[in-house]
């Protein structure tokens, strides 16, 4: 094993790094469509033609009737009119045909059966003449023998299959799918589905890569996990290079003591780039071994996904002989200020929704290790490397990860986090498949501010008024003025201290947070839970500075619960449902009211009507109650109206 620490060779713009790799592969002759293979036409959907396809026969290959009716020699119909109907007897120059029948010899037209009146069993009357070749599908009307049906390097669509078969072609030659070897590396990796222990990381990245490769038209070859060992990784790389057209090595691309990928690529072939000016995904490796492209992508899932999209996808399409489609984009208004470091192109995941006349984009987690940021994202915002970011309210271009029409049907909820919103989103989608719910967790005050700026359809809020003991109304009046709103209750919920199972530190209340050795984790400023905590601490005359961890913040109840469950904190203030979800003990503090604040202009829109309909269902209420810690006595009820 080698412990040599590598360093980044450069910090190149990703477009420059990609072009350098592509040019190197062109010089090696490795960036051409792969050799052809013959497949059945019926199995050709999505494949790329390796050569032009010419019709073997015409379609139709005979003159065919296009209608049910009478095939006639058009000459015998001349002179027929309403004033002077013509009688014709069935025989050699007038024969009954059905759609698709060959046109009998001596006939050159078809009269629709609707235009025929039989006066006798063998005699019919017409009131207009038939034009030559009317209602006849002539030989080759669709496809003419020897005609080119499709050119080379054409990606086959469903209708193309019909055209090829109509031309009498049962087998075609297409470019072979590029084989992409996917090598997961890391001693800490374990396969999905088994028991995991601290330090284990479930290996799902190559499953994501495989799905991407299939989507692009390639053939993924997933390798077994290779531990962090120089010799074993070298063997895996050489075996992959021998079998595949493209090799992707996941993890080991950084500059740590067990990151061997860059040095191995340099030893076995040519290392072109180690480090691109992108965020996330900086420590990408681009190289070539035995004329095969070798790409090292970081272990963090978002970084790895971006590296696959930016550097592997173009190579797959070139080896297929296909044109890489451009991303579908939409103009949106960014909901809050988004600073970004100069010198790198940053890729930021966003949630989106149509609010009034504006398409709103709200950034979600920017962490490279947060796979759920990709799952939840509606689009990707690119911040150019020479930009310092965007101002709130600025118009930006978003690369869509979800259909725009689906985005436009999204109810946007910004504000305080609650687990019932996830249940609401699920039941909304089940009841209204065209609709969805997008929730961004910025705290109650942040939600009301977003509502004021016109960035959401409603806001989740549970703000306690210290003077009256009531919830939300005084904050709405202060922050929103006389703007028309409706305050609808969603739930009452138990707030309390979440502590480790068995409560080993015997934490009995907020008074214990100041004890020596107790590690607390707080919610962010502006969160209703934070406001509640500060209110109760003031009541108890407890100085927040005496609480170890008071300034350590997370943005959701589940995040602080996870910190306690993992042992990273001893206590957190949150809801009972979150504690139950992670099997924590719970010390009750107070019952609070959680409402949805809805602007008057959206009260009668489908965005809100659908939500209220779902909230009223038995299925939704039963699932919320099953979480524990919730009371739905006023669920769906209007708690306050202003200006409506």
């Amino acid at each position: 094993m080698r412990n040599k620490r590598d360093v980044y060779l450069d910090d190149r713009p990703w477009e420059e790094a990609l072009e350098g790799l592509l040019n190197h592969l062109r010089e090696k002759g490795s960036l051409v469509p792969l050799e052809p293979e013959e497949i059945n036409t019926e199995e050709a959907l999505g494949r790329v033609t390796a050569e032009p396809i010419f019709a073997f026969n015409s379609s139709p290959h005979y003159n065919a009737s296009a209608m049910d009716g009478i095939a006639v020699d058009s000459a015998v119909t001349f002179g027929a009119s309403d004033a002077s109907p013509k009688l014709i007897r069935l025989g050699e120059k007038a024969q009954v045909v059905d759609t698709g029948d060959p046109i009998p010899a001596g006939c050159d037209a078809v009269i629709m059966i609707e235009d025929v009146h039989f006066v006798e069993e063998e005699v019919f009357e017409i009131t207009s003449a038939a034009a030559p070749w009317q209602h006849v599908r002539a030989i080759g009307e669709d496809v003419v023998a020897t005609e080119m049906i499709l050119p080379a390097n054409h990606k086959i669509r469903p209708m193309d299959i019909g055209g090829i078969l109509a031309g009498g072609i049962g087998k075609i030659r297409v470019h072979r799918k590029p084989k992409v070897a996917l090598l997961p590396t890391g001693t800490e990796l374990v396969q999905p589905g088994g028991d995991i222990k601290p330090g284990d990381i479930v290996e799902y990245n190559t499953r994501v890569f495989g799905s991407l490769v299939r989507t692009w038209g390639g053939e993924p070859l997933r390798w077994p996990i290779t531990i962090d060992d120089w010799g074993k990784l070298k063997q895996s790389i050489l075996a992959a290079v021998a079998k595949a057209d493209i090799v992707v090595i996941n993890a080991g691309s950084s500059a740590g003591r067990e990151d061997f990928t860059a040095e191995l690529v340099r030893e076995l072939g040519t290392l072109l780039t180690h480090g691109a000016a992108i965020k996330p995904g900086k420590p990408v490796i681009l190289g070539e071994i035995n004329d095969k492209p070798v790409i090292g992508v970081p272990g963090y899932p978002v970084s790895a996904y971006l590296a696959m999209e930016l550097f592997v996808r173009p190579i797959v399409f070139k080896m297929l002989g296909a044109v890489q489609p451009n991303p579908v984009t939409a103009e949106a208004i960014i909901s809050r200020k988004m600073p970004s470091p100069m010198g790198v192109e940053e890729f930021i995941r966003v949630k989106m929704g149509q609010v009034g006349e504006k398409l709103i984009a709200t950034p979600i987690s920017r962490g490279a290790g947060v796979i759920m940021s990709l799952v939840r994202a509606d689009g990707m915002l690119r911040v150019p490397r020479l930009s310092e970011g965007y101002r709130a309210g600025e118009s930006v271009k978003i690369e869509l990860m979800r259909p725009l029409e689906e985005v436009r049907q999204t109810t946007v909820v910004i504000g305080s986090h609650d687990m019932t919103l996830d249940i609401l989103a699920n039941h909304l989608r089940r009841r209204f498949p065209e609709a969805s719910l997008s929730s961004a967790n910025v705290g109650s005050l942040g939600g009301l501010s977003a509502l004021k700026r016109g960035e959401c359809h409603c806001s989740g809020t549970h703000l306690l008024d210290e003077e009256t003991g009531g919830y939300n109304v005084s904050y709405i009046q202060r922050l929103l003025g006389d703007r028309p709103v409706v305050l609808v209750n969603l739930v009452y919920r138990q707030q309390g201290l979440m502590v480790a199972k068995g409560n080993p530190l015997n934490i009995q209340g907020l008074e214990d947070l100041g004890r020596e050795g107790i590690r607390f984790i707080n919610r962010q400023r502006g969160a209703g839970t934070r406001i509640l905590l500060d209110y109760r601490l003031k009541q108890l005359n407890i100085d927040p500075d005496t609480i170890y961890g008071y300034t350590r913040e997370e943005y959701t109840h589940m995040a602080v619960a996870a910190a306690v469950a993992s042992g990273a904190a001893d206590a957190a203030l949150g809801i009972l449902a979150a504690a139950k979800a992670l099997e924590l003990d719970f010390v009750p503090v107070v019952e609070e009211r959680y409402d949805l604040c809805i602007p008057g202009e959206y009260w009668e829109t489908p965005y809100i009507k659908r939500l209220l309909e779902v909230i009223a269902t038995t299925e939704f209420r039963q699932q919320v109650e099953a979480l524990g810690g919730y009371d739905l006595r006023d669920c769906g009820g209007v708690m306050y109206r202003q200006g409506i």
Side-chain angles (χ1 to χ4, degrees), residues 583-594:
E583 299 182 344
L584 300 172
D585 276 13
F586 186 79
V587 181
V589 171
V590 69
E591 181 188 68
E592 66 172 7
R593 200 179 87 202
Y594 181 93

Side-chain angles (χ1 to χ4, degrees), residues 325-395:
N326 292 323
V328 179
T329 62
E331 291 291 328
I333 302 299
I334 200 70
S335 66
R336 60 175 182 258
K337 182 180 180 181
M338 288 188 2
S340 184
M342 284 279 286
V344 298
E345 183 164 346
E346 185 172 10
F347 295 76
I348 300 173
R349 287 78 72 199
V350 297
K351 294 291 290 180
M352 301 174 68
Q354 183 81 34
V355 183
E357 298 299 317
K358 299 182 292 186
L359 194 61
I360 301 294
T362 300
I364 51 182
S365 174
R366 293 162 87 161
V370 186
I371 184 65
M372 287 304 295
S373 68
L374 287 173
V375 174
R376 296 188 176 110
D378 298 322
M380 189 79 74
L381 170 63
R382 297 190 183 199
V383 183
R385 67 179 186 277
L386 299 181
S387 167
E388 292 185 292
Y390 295 105
R391 302 182 304 275
E394 195 168 347
S395 180

Side-chain angles (χ1 to χ4, degrees), residues 200-527:
D200 289 344
I201 297 177
V202 176
E203 199 294 288
Y204 58 78
N205 274 354
T206 60
R207 275 76 174 180
V208 176
F209 300 167
S211 298
L212 287 171
V213 169
R214 289 189 191 93
T215 300
W216 302 332
E219 178 184 346
L221 306 175
R222 192 167 52 80
W223 241 245
I225 294 169
T226 302
I227 64 172
D228 292 319
D229 179 272
W230 174 276
K232 287 183 170 58
L233 181 56
K234 182 176 180 179
Q235 291 175 359
S236 293
I237 292 173
L238 289 173
V241 168
K243 189 171 183 179
D245 304 295
I246 305 168
V247 176
V248 175
I249 306 167
N250 184 214
S253 66
S254 191
R257 63 179 181 175
E258 293 184 333
D259 292 329
F260 305 132
T261 303
E263 193 174 348
L264 277 168
V265 173
R266 185 189 295 115
E267 177 183 304
L268 299 173
T270 303
L271 180 62
L272 298 164
T273 294
H274 187 192
I278 55 175
K279 180 184 179 182
K282 177 184 175 67
V284 69
I285 292 167
L286 307 180
E288 166 265 318
I289 299 174
N290 294 345
D291 300 338
K292 307 284 184 69
V294 179
I295 293 91
V297 301
Y300 278 140
V302 181
S303 300
Y305 173 87
L306 285 171
M308 290 291 292
E309 284 279 350
L310 294 177
F311 301 108
V312 180
R313 186 186 195 211
I315 300 173
V316 170
F317 274 89
K318 288 185 182 299
M319 288 186 174
L320 281 169
V323 176
Q324 182 176 326
N326 292 323
V328 179
T329 62
E331 291 291 328
I333 302 299
I334 200 70
S335 66
R336 60 175 182 258
K337 182 180 180 181
M338 288 188 2
S340 184
M342 284 279 286
V344 298
E345 183 164 346
E346 185 172 10
F347 295 76
I348 300 173
R349 287 78 72 199
V350 297
K351 294 291 290 180
M352 301 174 68
Q354 183 81 34
V355 183
E357 298 299 317
K358 299 182 292 186
L359 194 61
I360 301 294
T362 300
I364 51 182
S365 174
R366 293 162 87 161
V370 186
I371 184 65
M372 287 304 295
S373 68
L374 287 173
V375 174
R376 296 188 176 110
D378 298 322
M380 189 79 74
L381 170 63
R382 297 190 183 199
V383 183
R385 67 179 186 277
L386 299 181
S387 167
E388 292 185 292
Y390 295 105
R391 302 182 304 275
E394 195 168 347
S395 180
V396 295
K397 181 181 288 187
I398 305 293
E399 294 180 6
L400 295 177
M401 300 170 69
R402 202 156 60 103
L404 183 57
E405 184 52 40
E406 192 174 315
V407 168
R408 294 191 189 280
Q409 291 295 321
T410 298
T411 301
V412 181
V413 183
I414 298 179
S416 174
H417 169 252
D418 190 83
M419 294 170 66
T420 57
L421 293 178
D422 292 334
I423 297 175
L424 184 56
N426 177 55
H427 284 273
L428 177 69
R429 196 60 180 264
R430 289 170 66 94
R431 196 173 188 88
F432 302 99
E434 74 281 7
S436 62
L437 183 146
S438 168
S439 60
N441 307 316
V442 299
S444 296
L445 286 175
L448 292 179
S449 296
L451 192 150
K452 182 178 181 179
R453 294 191 300 267
E455 296 169 358
C456 57
H457 298 112
C458 63
S459 177
T461 178
H462 59 110
L463 292 166
L464 173 67
D465 187 323
E466 296 183 11
E467 295 183 4
T468 67
Y471 278 89
N472 301 320
V473 174
S474 62
Y475 289 89
I476 290 171
Q477 292 171 340
R478 186 172 77 248
L479 293 174
L480 302 181
D482 57 359
R483 181 175 179 178
V485 297
V486 180
L487 197 62
V488 174
N489 178 250
L490 188 59
V491 291
Y492 292 86
R493 61 189 192 179
Q494 286 291 327
Q495 283 267 29
L497 290 173
M498 298 182 282
V499 297
K501 193 172 183 63
N503 196 2
L505 298 178
N506 193 30
I507 297 172
Q508 298 299 317
L510 297 176
E511 300 89 341
D512 291 326
L513 295 182
R515 278 171 32 200
E516 185 176 353
I518 301 295
R519 299 167 301 158
F520 184 68
I521 185 167
N522 210 348
R523 290 293 304 281
Q524 80 279 14
R525 291 180 180 275

